[in-house]
Amino acid sequence: MGCGTSVATENQGKISEKAMKAAVLIQRWYRRYIARLEMRRRYTWSIFQSIEYAGEQEQLQLSSFFSFMLDNFTQLSGNGPDLISNLLEPEVSEGSRGAQFEGILVSDSYCGPRLSFPLTVSDTNALLGAFKAQQTLHARYLLQLLHETKKFLKQMPNIIRLSTSCAKEITICGDLHGRLDDLLLIFYKNGLPSTENPYVFNGDFVDRGKKSVEILVVLFAFLLVYPDHMHLNRGNHEDHIMNLRYGFTKEVMQKYRVHGREILRLLQDIFSLLPLATIIDDKVLIVHGGISNMTDLDFVGSIERHKVKSALRLPRQSFDHMGLEWERREAKGYQDTQSSGRSRGETTRKRRSRSRKNSSGSSSSSSSSSSSSSLCSPCGSLHPGPTPLPSPGLLGRTDILQVPFLDSVVAMATPHSREEEEWKQVVDLLWSDPKGQNGCTPNTFRGGGCYFGPDVTRRLLQKHGLRLLVRSHECKQEGYELCHDDQVITIFSASNYYEEGSNRGAYLKLGPDLVPRFFQYQVSRCTRKLTLHQRVSVVESSALKALKEKLFAHRSELMTAFQQYDEDSKGYISTSDWAKAMESVLRLDLPWRTLRPRLARLTPDGSVEYQSCFEDVCPGQPTIQISPNLAETLYRYRTDLEIIFNIIDKDHSGLISIDEFRQTWKLFSSHLNVDVDDRTIEDLARTIDFNKDGSIDFNEFLEAFRVVHKLDGKEKQQG
């Protein structure tokens, strides 16, 4: 009996030991599995963010080019500034924009919401119900709503001051970017705005998503119904020039073809009248982007904000000073940086890499702090070296792309006028991002505003007796993030920003104790049914597609860079050389070694077959025959060309005359150094005038220059 018990106990012990070993093995495997998923999630995020910020840089440079051309050249091949003056300068006087809605008839067949002014809660409820039912508000009511909103905002100060004593809690929301479902979900979870439930929406209501108009209508309606309990700050996308690239302009014109231009002009005024900041209980500062070491809230309170129609529209004096800078440099025999393009590119890459590290939130050393401070005094005014400036003699060369970013536009220690100082303060509030290191440096990764460190935050809060800075402007995977010893909160309310499943949205609530409470959510149609691995794979696939399109658009440059390392023309190079070549051309500051298995094949000896980078993508099927170099330029700068087309297409019909097409190419070639002779332009214009009526459908033209993913084609065939 005793012997049997002993054997049983021994067997149980062995079983228990085996079970423990198995459990440890499973645990190790699971940890490695989760670690690999996390690695994929992080580099996916890096891809999305790098491409997003690269696009913002391109938009800023294009806008700077427009402003520069308008202010400095009376002619561009005969009529350059005329093409863009309507975009950058008001088309009608301030006083003439107004009650033009009264003559618009609403037909009996219109089945959408009918608004009566002054608005009531029943009107806001009707709007919410209509938008849930996919209805569109009639242009007559939209124009009247915008007119009333403009009248109201004119009375508002630059900085709104609120108190929690009037309500239990105040809700703060971040970027929505045209995602109506997120706004409706916030209202469902948190309740509609009311006297007992006040809200602050912190900018970037429009662009990217498809329901920007509806979001503005809902927010403006609640603003008029509850003027003391609904508050809107301006974001960097409340800007008519940004709207050209990121979709809002097109959305308005598609939904309101007849009255779209009136609506856009009125919105241009409204965006410039939105308050720049909100302060709660004299302790919590809310701005869209951030601050700089030159941010002065007392000065911000006195800014004539309506004059800053676009933060991308540089004050004219800035270009006058640049003209003086050209003369000074030319007198000293200044040589433009094009002759040393590789070193300039390397400098840019290093600065962007530093910017990326700055924003990572890592703690700063004393040396980096010192370096940061010396770079920027005041922040955003100086770069560590001469800022390349375009000159009249450079119009046909790539140096025109070097119109300085918003953070270095004047290359001077202090602004030369009050107008420049006001503009600079607005840019910093709308465009800046926090970083982990002390100091204030130009935000070279976005191209506008600055990176501000914990010391900059601390000084501003202490100076104004504040406790907390709440900002938005950056997508965060969890919808929010704390940094700078929890003195800075980033809140972002657009879930699925890059791709469905890519991130959560969030809002925060502040009560009298000013302790933030965070609420997360995610609008989901299908990802709830997916496993964690499947969700990561879906988002990763989308990011890699975007990156491969980037590779295709820079194919010739990449091939040249690869071949510099491939001296024997074998078709393969080391992983290290491949990574260097990728970064030198794309300058996205991505973990190329980690991404290599997703982008290219290896040879048996571990080298990279660099031509395999382009195997998964191919050009669409252009309906016209053009040279490979010109085709690649069109693939790469398709968005810029579309923006220029849309500027010329005043009625947004999608059609432009052949003469306007020629004008487009003049402006396009000046901006991008596309060396296309007049005969080529004539031949191109005649070729794409398919029905020979003297008009060109440029949307059809641009559609031919999209990148096609071969895998997508195979999937469609199988389907």
Side-chain angles (χ1 to χ4, degrees):
M1 183 77 176
C3 182
T5 303
S6 175
V7 171
T9 303
E10 184 178 348
N11 289 337
Q12 288 177 356
K14 290 180 179 180
I15 293 172
S16 178
E17 183 179 351
K18 288 181 180 179
M20 287 294 293
K21 288 181 178 179
V24 169
L25 287 173
I26 292 172
Q27 189 178 58
R28 287 176 180 172
W29 173 85
Y30 182 73
R31 285 176 178 172
R32 285 196 296 267
Y33 170 76
I34 294 298
R36 285 194 297 269
L37 283 181
E38 180 61 22
M39 179 187 69
R40 290 169 60 190
R41 194 172 71 102
R42 288 188 180 186
Y43 72 58
T44 295
W45 190 261
S46 296
I47 292 170
F48 278 132
Q49 197 168 64
S50 293
I51 292 176
E52 177 190 6
Y53 290 173
E56 288 186 348
Q57 272 201 16
E58 291 168 4
Q59 175 61 25
L60 292 175
Q61 294 204 39
L62 181 63
S63 303
S64 296
F65 170 77
F66 287 158
S67 299
F68 168 76
M69 293 300 299
L70 185 63
D71 287 339
N72 288 273
F73 295 92
T74 56
Q75 294 289 323
L76 173 62
S77 301
N79 52 11
D82 294 336
L83 303 181
I84 55 178
S85 59
N86 286 337
L87 168 68
L88 299 177
E89 302 290 355
E91 291 187 353
V92 292
S93 64
E94 190 72 22
S96 65
R97 296 185 193 179
Q100 299 178 9
F101 57 85
E102 293 175 347
I104 301 175
L105 297 177
V106 181
S107 67
D108 294 337
S109 61
Y110 170 69
C111 57
R114 296 175 181 266
L115 304 182
S116 58
F117 292 83
L119 295 179
T120 64
V121 174
S122 62
D123 292 304
T124 57
N125 290 337
L127 287 170
L128 290 172
F131 293 154
K132 288 177 184 177
Q134 307 300 315
Q135 294 178 342
T136 300
L137 182 64
H138 195 281
R140 193 251 191 247
Y141 299 120
L142 176 57
L143 282 167
Q144 187 170 4
L145 174 67
L146 296 180
H147 177 66
E148 295 297 326
T149 301
K150 179 180 173 181
K151 282 200 305 184
F152 172 77
L153 289 174
K154 277 185 175 180
Q155 308 168 27
M156 302 301 290
N158 294 339
I159 301 176
I160 306 296
R161 295 185 179 271
L162 307 178
S163 172
T164 55
S165 63
C166 301
K168 293 181 179 179
E169 289 182 305
I170 296 175
T171 302
I172 304 170
C173 301
D175 300 36
L176 287 168
H177 278 302
R179 287 162 170 79
L180 181 63
D181 287 345
D182 285 301
L183 178 62
L184 296 178
L185 185 57
I186 291 170
F187 286 164
Y188 174 77
K189 293 170 68 70
N190 192 61
L192 295 174
S194 67
T195 54
E196 295 79 26
N197 192 28
Y199 277 85
V200 176
F201 285 88
N202 197 25
D204 276 14
F205 319 121
V206 302
D207 280 335
R208 301 189 189 276
K210 297 179 180 179
K211 298 286 186 178
S212 296
V213 172
E214 287 78 1
I215 284 180
L216 287 182
V217 168
V218 170
L219 295 181
F220 291 165
F222 276 112
L223 179 69
L224 296 177
V225 174
Y226 298 108
D228 296 324
H229 302 90
M230 182 71 166
H231 308 280
L232 309 177
N233 284 347
R234 184 178 185 178
N236 67 308
H237 278 263
E238 276 66 67
D239 186 306
H240 65 284
I241 300 180
M242 286 290 284
N243 301 153
L244 279 167
R245 176 177 291 263
Y246 293 105
F248 181 54
T249 299
K250 180 181 284 188
E251 179 188 336
V252 171
M253 293 306 302
Q254 287 176 342
K255 292 178 178 178
Y256 299 95
R257 291 189 178 276
V258 176
H259 301 284
R261 289 180 66 78
E262 279 182 76
I263 292 168
L264 288 171
R265 291 193 206 108
L266 199 47
L267 282 168
Q268 180 179 335
D269 292 338
I270 289 173
F271 287 166
S272 69
L273 288 168
L274 288 168
L276 300 171
T278 300
I279 295 179
I280 298 177
D281 289 347
D282 294 324
K283 295 297 180 184
V284 179
L285 172 65
I286 308 170
V287 297
H288 177 72
I291 59 175
S292 75
N293 59 359
M294 295 300 293
T295 298
D296 183 339
L297 295 183
D298 296 326
F299 184 84
V300 169
S302 66
I303 288 175
E304 295 182 88
R305 68 181 187 275
H306 67 278
K307 291 184 177 180
V308 186
K309 298 294 183 186
S310 170
L312 277 64
R313 178 72 170 101
L314 286 57
R316 182 180 177 86
Q317 292 93 330
S318 301
F319 290 107
D320 293 340
H321 294 312
M322 287 201 291
L324 295 174
E325 181 71 1
W326 296 329
E327 295 175 7
R328 181 184 68 79
R329 294 184 181 184
E330 288 174 358
K332 291 184 177 182
Y334 178 81
Q335 297 180 349
D336 77 81
T337 54
Q338 180 65 18
S339 60
S340 57
R342 288 191 62 176
S343 62
R344 181 182 67 194
E346 182 66 14
T347 300
T348 303
R349 184 190 67 77
K350 289 179 179 177
R351 279 165 49 196
R352 290 186 64 190
S353 180
R354 278 202 306 270
S355 299
R356 195 67 177 276
K357 292 173 182 176
N358 284 343
S359 65
S360 64
S362 58
S363 59
S364 60
S365 63
S366 58
S367 61
S368 65
S369 171
S370 172
S371 171
S372 297
S373 298
S374 65
L375 275 175
C376 185
S377 179
C379 174
S381 298
L382 297 176
H383 278 305
T387 302
L389 297 174
S391 70
L394 301 179
L395 268 180
R397 303 171 60 180
T398 52
D399 299 313
I400 200 68
L401 284 172
Q402 294 304 312
V403 173
F405 294 145
L406 294 184
D407 54 15
S408 62
V409 64
V410 196
M412 58 188 174
T414 55
H416 286 72
S417 69
R418 179 178 176 88
E419 183 182 5
E420 288 171 356
E421 175 61 21
E422 289 184 354
W423 173 83
K424 181 67 174 65
Q425 293 275 339
V426 172
V427 169
D428 286 341
L429 292 175
L430 301 186
W431 278 89
S432 297
D433 295 307
K435 64 172 183 174
Q437 294 83 6
N438 283 333
C440 187
T441 56
N443 194 335
T444 52
F445 206 61
R446 282 189 192 268
C450 70
Y451 278 118
F452 60 98
D455 58 328
V456 177
T457 297
R458 196 161 45 247
R459 282 197 300 270
L460 181 121
L461 296 182
Q462 289 175 353
K463 176 181 177 181
H464 295 281
L466 300 167
R467 188 189 305 177
L468 186 65
L469 169 62
V470 178
R471 42 92 61 178
S472 301
H473 193 43
E474 286 183 285
C475 181
K476 299 299 179 182
Q477 287 185 331
E478 297 301 321
Y480 72 95
E481 185 177 270
L482 285 76
C483 63
H484 293 187
D485 299 321
D486 294 347
Q487 290 185 310
V488 173
I489 294 174
T490 298
I491 194 77
F492 196 86
S493 299
S495 66
N496 309 308
Y497 179 62
Y498 294 121
E499 177 66 43
E500 183 158 356
S502 63
N503 67 283
R504 295 181 180 181
Y507 58 89
L508 70 87
K509 297 175 76 71
L510 285 175
D513 58 2
L514 299 182
V515 176
R517 295 194 300 133
F518 299 96
F519 297 83
Q520 298 170 291
Y521 55 86
Q522 190 161 22
V523 173
S524 177
R525 292 181 175 83
C526 62
T527 52
R528 286 182 182 176
K529 301 177 183 178
L530 302 179
T531 65
L532 175 61
H533 181 273
Q534 289 171 328
R535 288 199 299 270
V536 171
S537 296
V538 168
V539 179
E540 178 191 42
S541 175
S542 178
L544 289 172
K545 282 185 179 180
L547 184 55
K548 287 175 181 178
E549 289 178 14
K550 205 77 167 165
L551 302 188
F552 181 84
H554 292 79
R555 178 170 182 164
S556 61
E557 286 180 87
L558 285 168
M559 286 298 294
T560 299
F562 294 147
Q563 289 164 359
Q564 287 178 349
Y565 291 105
D566 184 15
E567 296 179 355
D568 299 327
S569 301
K570 295 179 180 178
Y572 52 84
I573 56 179
S574 69
T575 299
S576 176
D577 290 341
W578 177 82
K580 290 176 185 176
M582 293 286 279
E583 184 59 28
S584 69
V585 172
L586 299 176
R587 299 173 191 169
L588 293 175
D589 193 29
L590 291 173
W592 295 111
R593 291 170 179 268
T594 303
L595 288 169
R596 198 279 313 152
R598 305 284 179 175
L599 299 175
R601 288 195 309 270
L602 286 183
T603 62
D605 67 352
S607 299
V608 179
E609 295 181 18
Y610 51 80
Q611 293 200 51
S612 64
C613 294
F614 313 107
E615 288 182 350
D616 291 343
V617 292
C618 63
Q621 298 298 321
T623 54
I624 54 177
Q625 296 299 317
I626 59 176
S627 69
N629 287 340
L630 181 55
E632 184 170 324
T633 299
L634 286 168
Y635 282 113
R636 186 182 310 176
Y637 296 110
R638 185 181 180 282
T639 301
D640 282 359
L641 185 58
E642 184 175 11
I643 289 171
I644 296 173
F645 269 134
N646 279 314
I647 294 170
I648 296 172
D649 179 27
K650 294 180 180 179
D651 62 356
H652 290 261
S653 64
L655 298 173
I656 58 174
S657 69
I658 290 180
D659 185 56
E660 289 173 330
F661 182 79
R662 294 190 197 101
Q663 295 173 11
T664 299
W665 278 98
K666 298 291 186 184
L667 191 58
F668 184 61
S669 59
S670 294
H671 174 51
L672 296 171
N673 189 34
V674 181
D675 188 13
V676 185
D677 58 48
D678 291 341
R679 182 175 178 179
T680 302
I681 295 175
E682 293 290 338
D683 291 343
L684 188 59
R686 284 195 298 270
T687 303
I688 60 179
D689 181 12
F690 301 112
N691 57 3
K692 307 304 177 185
D693 65 349
S695 296
I696 293 171
D697 185 337
F698 68 80
N699 288 317
E700 184 175 339
F701 170 68
L702 290 173
E703 190 64 28
F705 296 95
R706 288 189 182 275
V707 175
V708 176
H709 293 269
K710 294 180 180 178
L711 182 60
D712 291 347
K714 292 177 183 177
E715 289 173 350
K716 287 179 181 178
Q717 289 177 0
Q718 292 172 358

